[in-house]
Amino acid sequence: MRDSDRDEGEAALLAALFGGAPRCWYVLDRELRLVQLNRAARTLRCLPGEEAVGRRLTDFVPGFPAAEMTGLAAEVLATGATLTGRLVRGHPAAAPDRAQVLSLTLYRLEDGVSGEQGEPLGVAVAVEDVTARESAAERLAVLHRAHRTIGSTLDIATTAQELADVTVPRFADATTVDVLDEAWRAGPAHEGPVSPDHPLRRAAYRTRHGGELPVRIGRLNTFPFPTPFTQSLADIRPRLVSRLDYGERWLETDPVTTERWRTAGVHSLIAVPLVVHDTVLGLAAYYRYERPDPFDEDDLELARELTARAALSLDKARSYARERTVATALQRYLLPQQPPSVSAVDAAHLYMAGGAGSDWYDVIQLSGARVALVVGDLAGRGVEAAATMGQLRTAVRTLAALDLPPDELLERLDTTTVRLARDSAVTPGSGDPGSEMIASCLVLTYDPVSRRCTAARAGHPQPLVLDPSGKVLPFEVPGGPHLGVGGAGFESASVELPAGSVLALYTNGLVTDRGRDSDASLERLHQVLARPGRSLQELCDAAVYTLVPERPGDDAVLLLARTHHLAEGNVAAWTFPDDLAVVSHARELAERQLVAWGLDDLVYSTQLIVSELVTNAIRYGKGAVQLRLIRDRTLICEVSDRTNTAPHLRQAGSTDEGGRGLFIVMQLSAQWGTRYLREGKTIWAEQPLPGPL
């Protein structure tokens, strides 16, 4: 190719480049002065046009980081290295309220021939306006972060704050989130428009630089009417105020807030209702005051998507909180409101609802002035778990009424738990036997006559036992498997306690919640309880202050009992040979004891009860028979023998010679029953003590 042809080709290429290329091209000399620009640079106005020719770079890029751009051009001029796709951001002088993003490509111009390095003549700069592309990428980044961040928990306040954190400062300079009062309190869903006077609560607030909260989190916050906020809640449509005019009438409805906005420089806002399937949860508001570019329709669409994403998570949090509230209410309803008053122990408890689980406790009066203390923890949460807990508690009370020892009671309770799990199958017709139901339980009985404490446990923490001075007493209860496993046995342990000892039964939530060290927590619990002069309720409160975190993640139960000893003067016992001739003597001894106790009014009825029970024990049993009278809150009459044959109450016919003994006992007693021993049984009957007239 001839040199003239090459020159003509290069001229044509240069003419096309500067004449029809869509990019803006600028040519700078060695002094970084503008010497030439193409047609696109004059018409597209990426940077100032023809009037900038002959001026330095720092003089014709107002609104952009001129020093940065000058440094880039100087670097290319000095090194000859090409810079491609360098982004710079600014606000052009022609539209200072609109952010603009430019992509710069810089080449060094040289006077050398092809393939040889010549002297630098200047710098060629290709400029492309990529504002739309970068804005779209930034919106996608905000959406991506929102999908990763919002909804990490099932807490309403945390979810609302996640929305505020995602949007500030990448989208807005300040964000507020308000939820309806009933949604905040886990109430029923609110469908349809929201009236202007409907109460809301501030759920989240964040600004670019922090600062004092105008409305504290959780406080009531009602928007004045009419405003874009109330209008948005009224028709469930978002509102865009692209340019805030402080002369508008609606701003007069709340002068305090308006003045705060004016001081901060708020110039644009968006209000978007939090809506899920026509259920209104609240309102999110976004503000700009430092970023000069106002919100536009693209920003409104992004605000819709962000708010819709947050609304889904908030609705899940509300539903979870509502179910948790219902489960907690059900659980509290199924638990004793106050431990019953019994003579064997003084009792107090604490119950802290954390994860709406299914912890339970019970204090059960047993025969012979004894008492049973029970604490359990069912795995699972929600209404179903709370209902199952109620079933287990009922089963425990039913089994306790049979006067079963703790280990045997747990064996039968384990069978009941397995049956409940089988009956609560969650996949009918699939052959699945149902979801696994696992629970832990500790059953402890205390006899104030013998001062003997007996306990068995199924996967539950050891009880803590302290003597009257606050010193820990050794009481190792053998560990058994959790309830619901099935097929395993349980062992019990016994210890004799001095009167005034403190028994502490608790669930794992008290000592191991949120990964706390259980040994350290137990040591702190011991320190709390080792205060002999304080009441049990004071000790329970002190345990809460010391052990339970501010927002517990699991339920926590602590049941405390201080033991009593029934004085020897309130107990009388005799042993008789298996001879029916001793029945009359047993009646006489019972009469003398009642007279000594001042219970003359109960002599006749007690003699009949003693006569029937001793006669039956001698007639149908074997070996010696023991009669015991206990004066407690009732008069207790017990007859024990060495046979395990249970008596049965029946209605005797008119011609029957026998069968009326137990019927007489039932008529004369407030309650009666059978207690099985390791060897033999005890038939007992209770009569109320005569009260003052």
mmCIF file of all heavy atoms in Angstrom, residues 570 572 590 593-594 597 599-603 605-607 609-610 628-638 668-671 684-690:
data_model
loop_
_atom_site.group_PDB
_atom_site.id
_atom_site.type_symbol
_atom_site.label_atom_id
_atom_site.label_comp_id
_atom_site.label_asym_id
_atom_site.label_seq_id
_atom_site.Cartn_x
_atom_site.Cartn_y
_atom_site.Cartn_z
ATOM 1 N N ASN A 570 -47.264 -36.308 116.096
ATOM 2 C CA ASN A 570 -48.374 -36.338 115.146
ATOM 3 C C ASN A 570 -48.478 -37.672 114.423
ATOM 4 O O ASN A 570 -49.259 -37.804 113.481
ATOM 5 C CB ASN A 570 -48.217 -35.222 114.117
ATOM 6 C CG ASN A 570 -48.427 -33.849 114.713
ATOM 7 O OD1 ASN A 570 -49.299 -33.668 115.560
ATOM 8 N ND2 ASN A 570 -47.626 -32.882 114.287
ATOM 9 N N ALA A 572 -48.705 -41.967 115.076
ATOM 10 C CA ALA A 572 -48.837 -43.107 115.995
ATOM 11 C C ALA A 572 -48.902 -44.377 115.169
ATOM 12 O O ALA A 572 -49.655 -44.447 114.186
ATOM 13 C CB ALA A 572 -50.079 -42.971 116.858
ATOM 14 N N ALA A 590 -56.784 -46.759 118.652
ATOM 15 C CA ALA A 590 -57.116 -45.616 117.804
ATOM 16 C C ALA A 590 -57.935 -44.596 118.575
ATOM 17 O O ALA A 590 -57.718 -43.375 118.460
ATOM 18 C CB ALA A 590 -57.870 -46.087 116.563
ATOM 19 N N GLN A 593 -55.756 -42.571 120.958
ATOM 20 C CA GLN A 593 -54.895 -41.599 120.273
ATOM 21 C C GLN A 593 -55.697 -40.384 119.806
ATOM 22 O O GLN A 593 -55.242 -39.249 119.926
ATOM 23 C CB GLN A 593 -54.205 -42.253 119.072
ATOM 24 C CG GLN A 593 -53.163 -41.373 118.423
ATOM 25 C CD GLN A 593 -52.038 -41.006 119.357
ATOM 26 O OE1 GLN A 593 -51.316 -41.873 119.868
ATOM 27 N NE2 GLN A 593 -51.877 -39.725 119.636
ATOM 28 N N LEU A 594 -56.893 -40.607 119.312
ATOM 29 C CA LEU A 594 -57.709 -39.483 118.843
ATOM 30 C C LEU A 594 -58.117 -38.592 120.004
ATOM 31 O O LEU A 594 -58.148 -37.362 119.878
ATOM 32 C CB LEU A 594 -58.943 -40.006 118.104
ATOM 33 C CG LEU A 594 -58.674 -40.725 116.767
ATOM 34 C CD1 LEU A 594 -59.994 -41.096 116.095
ATOM 35 C CD2 LEU A 594 -57.859 -39.857 115.821
ATOM 36 N N TRP A 597 -55.314 -36.432 120.871
ATOM 37 C CA TRP A 597 -55.123 -35.347 119.888
ATOM 38 C C TRP A 597 -56.281 -34.345 119.912
ATOM 39 O O TRP A 597 -56.258 -33.366 119.177
ATOM 40 C CB TRP A 597 -55.022 -35.945 118.484
ATOM 41 C CG TRP A 597 -53.668 -36.549 118.188
ATOM 42 C CD1 TRP A 597 -52.509 -36.302 118.823
ATOM 43 C CD2 TRP A 597 -53.380 -37.509 117.166
ATOM 44 N NE1 TRP A 597 -51.492 -37.035 118.276
ATOM 45 C CE2 TRP A 597 -52.001 -37.795 117.233
ATOM 46 C CE3 TRP A 597 -54.139 -38.167 116.199
ATOM 47 C CZ2 TRP A 597 -51.367 -38.699 116.380
ATOM 48 C CZ3 TRP A 597 -53.503 -39.062 115.347
ATOM 49 C CH2 TRP A 597 -52.138 -39.328 115.438
ATOM 50 N N LEU A 599 -59.376 -35.069 118.974
ATOM 51 C CA LEU A 599 -60.226 -35.330 117.811
ATOM 52 C C LEU A 599 -61.358 -36.281 118.187
ATOM 53 O O LEU A 599 -61.622 -37.283 117.506
ATOM 54 C CB LEU A 599 -59.374 -35.928 116.670
ATOM 55 C CG LEU A 599 -58.208 -35.069 116.174
ATOM 56 C CD1 LEU A 599 -57.419 -35.802 115.089
ATOM 57 C CD2 LEU A 599 -58.720 -33.723 115.642
ATOM 58 N N ASP A 600 -62.046 -35.956 119.273
ATOM 59 C CA ASP A 600 -63.128 -36.822 119.754
ATOM 60 C C ASP A 600 -64.213 -37.014 118.707
ATOM 61 O O ASP A 600 -64.842 -38.083 118.636
ATOM 62 C CB ASP A 600 -63.728 -36.244 121.031
ATOM 63 C CG ASP A 600 -62.687 -36.067 122.124
ATOM 64 O OD1 ASP A 600 -61.719 -35.293 121.897
ATOM 65 O OD2 ASP A 600 -62.826 -36.685 123.195
ATOM 66 N N ASP A 601 -64.456 -35.988 117.881
ATOM 67 C CA ASP A 601 -65.532 -36.081 116.890
ATOM 68 C C ASP A 601 -65.249 -37.135 115.818
ATOM 69 O O ASP A 601 -66.176 -37.554 115.105
ATOM 70 C CB ASP A 601 -65.741 -34.728 116.211
ATOM 71 C CG ASP A 601 -66.277 -33.677 117.177
ATOM 72 O OD1 ASP A 601 -66.811 -34.089 118.236
ATOM 73 O OD2 ASP A 601 -66.157 -32.474 116.885
ATOM 74 N N LEU A 602 -64.009 -37.538 115.686
ATOM 75 C CA LEU A 602 -63.662 -38.509 114.642
ATOM 76 C C LEU A 602 -63.494 -39.918 115.187
ATOM 77 O O LEU A 602 -63.114 -40.824 114.438
ATOM 78 C CB LEU A 602 -62.359 -38.076 113.944
ATOM 79 C CG LEU A 602 -62.398 -36.754 113.168
ATOM 80 C CD1 LEU A 602 -61.039 -36.466 112.535
ATOM 81 C CD2 LEU A 602 -63.480 -36.791 112.086
ATOM 82 N N VAL A 603 -63.763 -40.113 116.479
ATOM 83 C CA VAL A 603 -63.529 -41.430 117.084
ATOM 84 C C VAL A 603 -64.403 -42.495 116.436
ATOM 85 O O VAL A 603 -63.909 -43.564 116.030
ATOM 86 C CB VAL A 603 -63.771 -41.373 118.603
ATOM 87 C CG1 VAL A 603 -63.797 -42.792 119.187
ATOM 88 C CG2 VAL A 603 -62.696 -40.547 119.282
ATOM 89 N N SER A 605 -66.127 -42.677 113.528
ATOM 90 C CA SER A 605 -65.849 -42.988 112.121
ATOM 91 C C SER A 605 -64.484 -43.667 111.969
ATOM 92 O O SER A 605 -64.322 -44.606 111.170
ATOM 93 C CB SER A 605 -65.897 -41.711 111.271
ATOM 94 O OG SER A 605 -64.957 -40.761 111.738
ATOM 95 N N THR A 606 -63.512 -43.210 112.734
ATOM 96 C CA THR A 606 -62.175 -43.803 112.618
ATOM 97 C C THR A 606 -62.188 -45.248 113.103
ATOM 98 O O THR A 606 -61.513 -46.116 112.520
ATOM 99 C CB THR A 606 -61.157 -42.977 113.417
ATOM 100 O OG1 THR A 606 -61.192 -41.622 112.967
ATOM 101 C CG2 THR A 606 -59.756 -43.538 113.257
ATOM 102 N N GLN A 607 -62.929 -45.527 114.178
ATOM 103 C CA GLN A 607 -63.007 -46.910 114.666
ATOM 104 C C GLN A 607 -63.596 -47.836 113.599
ATOM 105 O O GLN A 607 -63.140 -48.966 113.423
ATOM 106 C CB GLN A 607 -63.841 -46.973 115.944
ATOM 107 C CG GLN A 607 -63.122 -46.492 117.188
ATOM 108 C CD GLN A 607 -63.959 -46.663 118.444
ATOM 109 O OE1 GLN A 607 -65.174 -46.465 118.427
ATOM 110 N NE2 GLN A 607 -63.309 -47.038 119.547
ATOM 111 N N ILE A 609 -63.426 -47.358 110.325
ATOM 112 C CA ILE A 609 -62.411 -47.506 109.264
ATOM 113 C C ILE A 609 -61.326 -48.480 109.713
ATOM 114 O O ILE A 609 -60.921 -49.387 108.967
ATOM 115 C CB ILE A 609 -61.808 -46.129 108.912
ATOM 116 C CG1 ILE A 609 -62.864 -45.235 108.248
ATOM 117 C CG2 ILE A 609 -60.594 -46.291 108.007
ATOM 118 C CD1 ILE A 609 -62.405 -43.817 107.998
ATOM 119 N N VAL A 610 -60.830 -48.310 110.945
ATOM 120 C CA VAL A 610 -59.784 -49.197 111.463
ATOM 121 C C VAL A 610 -60.287 -50.633 111.512
ATOM 122 O O VAL A 610 -59.578 -51.579 111.119
ATOM 123 C CB VAL A 610 -59.326 -48.723 112.854
ATOM 124 C CG1 VAL A 610 -58.457 -49.784 113.528
ATOM 125 C CG2 VAL A 610 -58.579 -47.409 112.743
ATOM 126 N N ARG A 628 -51.248 -47.258 111.252
ATOM 127 C CA ARG A 628 -50.600 -45.978 111.495
ATOM 128 C C ARG A 628 -51.615 -44.857 111.354
ATOM 129 O O ARG A 628 -52.379 -44.813 110.371
ATOM 130 C CB ARG A 628 -49.431 -45.757 110.530
ATOM 131 C CG ARG A 628 -48.638 -44.498 110.855
ATOM 132 C CD ARG A 628 -47.340 -44.431 110.068
ATOM 133 N NE ARG A 628 -47.548 -44.153 108.653
ATOM 134 C CZ ARG A 628 -46.589 -43.690 107.834
ATOM 135 N NH1 ARG A 628 -45.354 -43.508 108.317
ATOM 136 N NH2 ARG A 628 -46.842 -43.482 106.561
ATOM 137 N N LEU A 629 -51.618 -43.952 112.339
ATOM 138 C CA LEU A 629 -52.453 -42.756 112.291
ATOM 139 C C LEU A 629 -51.538 -41.535 112.184
ATOM 140 O O LEU A 629 -50.548 -41.426 112.911
ATOM 141 C CB LEU A 629 -53.322 -42.646 113.536
ATOM 142 C CG LEU A 629 -54.356 -43.757 113.775
ATOM 143 C CD1 LEU A 629 -55.099 -43.503 115.087
ATOM 144 C CD2 LEU A 629 -55.333 -43.851 112.619
ATOM 145 N N ILE A 630 -51.892 -40.626 111.268
ATOM 146 C CA ILE A 630 -51.098 -39.412 111.043
ATOM 147 C C ILE A 630 -52.030 -38.215 111.157
ATOM 148 O O ILE A 630 -53.058 -38.133 110.458
ATOM 149 C CB ILE A 630 -50.428 -39.425 109.658
ATOM 150 C CG1 ILE A 630 -49.519 -40.647 109.514
ATOM 151 C CG2 ILE A 630 -49.631 -38.149 109.432
ATOM 152 C CD1 ILE A 630 -48.936 -40.811 108.122
ATOM 153 N N ARG A 631 -51.683 -37.321 112.051
ATOM 154 C CA ARG A 631 -52.439 -36.074 112.156
ATOM 155 C C ARG A 631 -51.689 -35.004 111.373
ATOM 156 O O ARG A 631 -50.647 -34.516 111.772
ATOM 157 C CB ARG A 631 -52.599 -35.653 113.617
ATOM 158 C CG ARG A 631 -53.447 -34.384 113.771
ATOM 159 C CD ARG A 631 -53.604 -33.988 115.219
ATOM 160 N NE ARG A 631 -52.310 -33.639 115.826
ATOM 161 C CZ ARG A 631 -52.183 -33.135 117.051
ATOM 162 N NH1 ARG A 631 -53.271 -32.956 117.811
ATOM 163 N NH2 ARG A 631 -51.002 -32.856 117.538
ATOM 164 N N ASP A 632 -52.253 -34.652 110.242
ATOM 165 C CA ASP A 632 -51.665 -33.622 109.374
ATOM 166 C C ASP A 632 -52.764 -32.611 109.081
ATOM 167 O O ASP A 632 -53.499 -32.235 109.987
ATOM 168 C CB ASP A 632 -51.108 -34.285 108.111
ATOM 169 C CG ASP A 632 -50.291 -33.336 107.254
ATOM 170 O OD1 ASP A 632 -49.601 -32.470 107.811
ATOM 171 O OD2 ASP A 632 -50.340 -33.480 106.019
ATOM 172 N N ARG A 633 -52.903 -32.191 107.882
ATOM 173 C CA ARG A 633 -54.024 -31.329 107.532
ATOM 174 C C ARG A 633 -55.315 -32.121 107.457
ATOM 175 O O ARG A 633 -56.396 -31.559 107.408
ATOM 176 C CB ARG A 633 -53.740 -30.645 106.197
ATOM 177 C CG ARG A 633 -52.489 -29.782 106.261
ATOM 178 C CD ARG A 633 -52.297 -28.979 105.019
ATOM 179 N NE ARG A 633 -51.097 -28.163 105.122
ATOM 180 C CZ ARG A 633 -50.751 -27.236 104.262
ATOM 181 N NH1 ARG A 633 -51.517 -27.010 103.205
ATOM 182 N NH2 ARG A 633 -49.654 -26.534 104.439
ATOM 183 N N THR A 634 -55.162 -33.427 107.383
ATOM 184 C CA THR A 634 -56.282 -34.362 107.502
ATOM 185 C C THR A 634 -55.863 -35.444 108.486
ATOM 186 O O THR A 634 -54.692 -35.542 108.871
ATOM 187 C CB THR A 634 -56.622 -34.999 106.137
ATOM 188 O OG1 THR A 634 -55.479 -35.722 105.680
ATOM 189 C CG2 THR A 634 -57.026 -33.948 105.107
ATOM 190 N N LEU A 635 -56.803 -36.258 108.877
ATOM 191 C CA LEU A 635 -56.482 -37.427 109.690
ATOM 192 C C LEU A 635 -56.312 -38.602 108.738
ATOM 193 O O LEU A 635 -57.231 -38.955 107.997
ATOM 194 C CB LEU A 635 -57.585 -37.723 110.699
ATOM 195 C CG LEU A 635 -57.362 -38.986 111.539
ATOM 196 C CD1 LEU A 635 -56.109 -38.844 112.407
ATOM 197 C CD2 LEU A 635 -58.579 -39.292 112.387
ATOM 198 N N ILE A 636 -55.127 -39.182 108.734
ATOM 199 C CA ILE A 636 -54.792 -40.263 107.812
ATOM 200 C C ILE A 636 -54.712 -41.569 108.596
ATOM 201 O O ILE A 636 -54.022 -41.650 109.617
ATOM 202 C CB ILE A 636 -53.452 -39.998 107.103
ATOM 203 C CG1 ILE A 636 -53.484 -38.633 106.405
ATOM 204 C CG2 ILE A 636 -53.134 -41.099 106.111
ATOM 205 C CD1 ILE A 636 -52.135 -38.174 105.904
ATOM 206 N N CYS A 637 -55.431 -42.543 108.093
ATOM 207 C CA CYS A 637 -55.411 -43.887 108.688
ATOM 208 C C CYS A 637 -54.831 -44.841 107.653
ATOM 209 O O CYS A 637 -55.339 -44.933 106.521
ATOM 210 C CB CYS A 637 -56.824 -44.316 109.083
ATOM 211 S SG CYS A 637 -56.915 -45.997 109.743
ATOM 212 N N GLU A 638 -53.745 -45.555 108.008
ATOM 213 C CA GLU A 638 -53.084 -46.468 107.091
ATOM 214 C C GLU A 638 -52.981 -47.853 107.725
ATOM 215 O O GLU A 638 -52.645 -47.985 108.910
ATOM 216 C CB GLU A 638 -51.669 -45.992 106.758
ATOM 217 C CG GLU A 638 -51.609 -44.660 106.027
ATOM 218 C CD GLU A 638 -50.181 -44.274 105.696
ATOM 219 O OE1 GLU A 638 -49.240 -44.846 106.298
ATOM 220 O OE2 GLU A 638 -50.007 -43.389 104.845
ATOM 221 N N LEU A 668 -67.115 -43.011 104.670
ATOM 222 C CA LEU A 668 -66.633 -42.273 105.838
ATOM 223 C C LEU A 668 -65.414 -41.401 105.530
ATOM 224 O O LEU A 668 -65.063 -40.531 106.326
ATOM 225 C CB LEU A 668 -66.279 -43.255 106.961
ATOM 226 C CG LEU A 668 -67.438 -44.073 107.540
ATOM 227 C CD1 LEU A 668 -66.908 -45.077 108.553
ATOM 228 C CD2 LEU A 668 -68.470 -43.154 108.192
ATOM 229 N N SER A 669 -64.768 -41.610 104.374
ATOM 230 C CA SER A 669 -63.517 -40.925 104.058
ATOM 231 C C SER A 669 -63.728 -39.861 102.991
ATOM 232 O O SER A 669 -64.638 -39.947 102.159
ATOM 233 C CB SER A 669 -62.466 -41.928 103.562
ATOM 234 O OG SER A 669 -62.297 -42.981 104.486
ATOM 235 N N ALA A 670 -62.862 -38.863 103.040
ATOM 236 C CA ALA A 670 -62.832 -37.889 101.951
ATOM 237 C C ALA A 670 -62.205 -38.526 100.716
ATOM 238 O O ALA A 670 -62.603 -38.249 99.580
ATOM 239 C CB ALA A 670 -62.040 -36.651 102.370
ATOM 240 N N GLN A 671 -61.184 -39.352 100.906
ATOM 241 C CA GLN A 671 -60.583 -40.113 99.827
ATOM 242 C C GLN A 671 -59.836 -41.298 100.424
ATOM 243 O O GLN A 671 -59.458 -41.287 101.591
ATOM 244 C CB GLN A 671 -59.637 -39.247 98.991
ATOM 245 C CG GLN A 671 -58.560 -38.533 99.790
ATOM 246 C CD GLN A 671 -57.718 -37.619 98.909
ATOM 247 O OE1 GLN A 671 -57.701 -37.739 97.688
ATOM 248 N NE2 GLN A 671 -57.007 -36.705 99.531
ATOM 249 N N TRP A 684 -55.053 -46.817 102.639
ATOM 250 C CA TRP A 684 -55.133 -45.581 103.414
ATOM 251 C C TRP A 684 -56.475 -44.893 103.202
ATOM 252 O O TRP A 684 -57.144 -45.076 102.165
ATOM 253 C CB TRP A 684 -53.996 -44.635 103.048
ATOM 254 C CG TRP A 684 -53.934 -44.309 101.563
ATOM 255 C CD1 TRP A 684 -53.238 -44.980 100.606
ATOM 256 C CD2 TRP A 684 -54.634 -43.245 100.898
ATOM 257 N NE1 TRP A 684 -53.458 -44.412 99.375
ATOM 258 C CE2 TRP A 684 -54.296 -43.330 99.524
ATOM 259 C CE3 TRP A 684 -55.502 -42.231 101.321
ATOM 260 C CZ2 TRP A 684 -54.805 -42.445 98.584
ATOM 261 C CZ3 TRP A 684 -55.999 -41.336 100.377
ATOM 262 C CH2 TRP A 684 -55.649 -41.447 99.037
ATOM 263 N N ALA A 685 -56.842 -44.124 104.181
ATOM 264 C CA ALA A 685 -58.090 -43.346 104.107
ATOM 265 C C ALA A 685 -57.867 -42.029 104.838
ATOM 266 O O ALA A 685 -57.199 -41.987 105.879
ATOM 267 C CB ALA A 685 -59.245 -44.118 104.730
ATOM 268 N N GLU A 686 -58.394 -40.953 104.279
ATOM 269 C CA GLU A 686 -58.229 -39.622 104.865
ATOM 270 C C GLU A 686 -59.588 -39.056 105.262
ATOM 271 O O GLU A 686 -60.570 -39.189 104.521
ATOM 272 C CB GLU A 686 -57.549 -38.671 103.881
ATOM 273 C CG GLU A 686 -56.102 -39.014 103.579
ATOM 274 C CD GLU A 686 -55.431 -37.958 102.726
ATOM 275 O OE1 GLU A 686 -56.043 -36.879 102.520
ATOM 276 O OE2 GLU A 686 -54.300 -38.192 102.259
ATOM 277 N N GLN A 687 -59.616 -38.415 106.429
ATOM 278 C CA GLN A 687 -60.815 -37.722 106.896
ATOM 279 C C GLN A 687 -60.452 -36.261 107.181
ATOM 280 O O GLN A 687 -59.388 -35.994 107.765
ATOM 281 C CB GLN A 687 -61.350 -38.358 108.181
ATOM 282 C CG GLN A 687 -61.720 -39.819 108.074
ATOM 283 C CD GLN A 687 -62.123 -40.373 109.415
ATOM 284 O OE1 GLN A 687 -63.259 -40.160 109.878
ATOM 285 N NE2 GLN A 687 -61.194 -41.062 110.072
ATOM 286 N N PRO A 688 -61.296 -35.340 106.796
ATOM 287 C CA PRO A 688 -61.019 -33.939 107.124
ATOM 288 C C PRO A 688 -61.093 -33.702 108.626
ATOM 289 O O PRO A 688 -61.914 -34.305 109.333
ATOM 290 C CB PRO A 688 -62.116 -33.180 106.378
ATOM 291 C CG PRO A 688 -63.213 -34.180 106.192
ATOM 292 C CD PRO A 688 -62.547 -35.509 106.052
ATOM 293 N N LEU A 689 -60.214 -32.854 109.114
ATOM 294 C CA LEU A 689 -60.238 -32.520 110.535
ATOM 295 C C LEU A 689 -61.431 -31.621 110.827
ATOM 296 O O LEU A 689 -61.796 -30.767 109.996
ATOM 297 C CB LEU A 689 -58.938 -31.812 110.935
ATOM 298 C CG LEU A 689 -57.649 -32.628 110.772
ATOM 299 C CD1 LEU A 689 -56.458 -31.787 111.209
ATOM 300 C CD2 LEU A 689 -57.718 -33.912 111.558
ATOM 301 N N PRO A 690 -62.047 -31.785 111.981
ATOM 302 C CA PRO A 690 -63.183 -30.918 112.316
ATOM 303 C C PRO A 690 -62.716 -29.476 112.490
ATOM 304 O O PRO A 690 -61.710 -29.199 113.153
ATOM 305 C CB PRO A 690 -63.709 -31.508 113.631
ATOM 306 C CG PRO A 690 -62.545 -32.238 114.207
ATOM 307 C CD PRO A 690 -61.754 -32.749 113.053
#
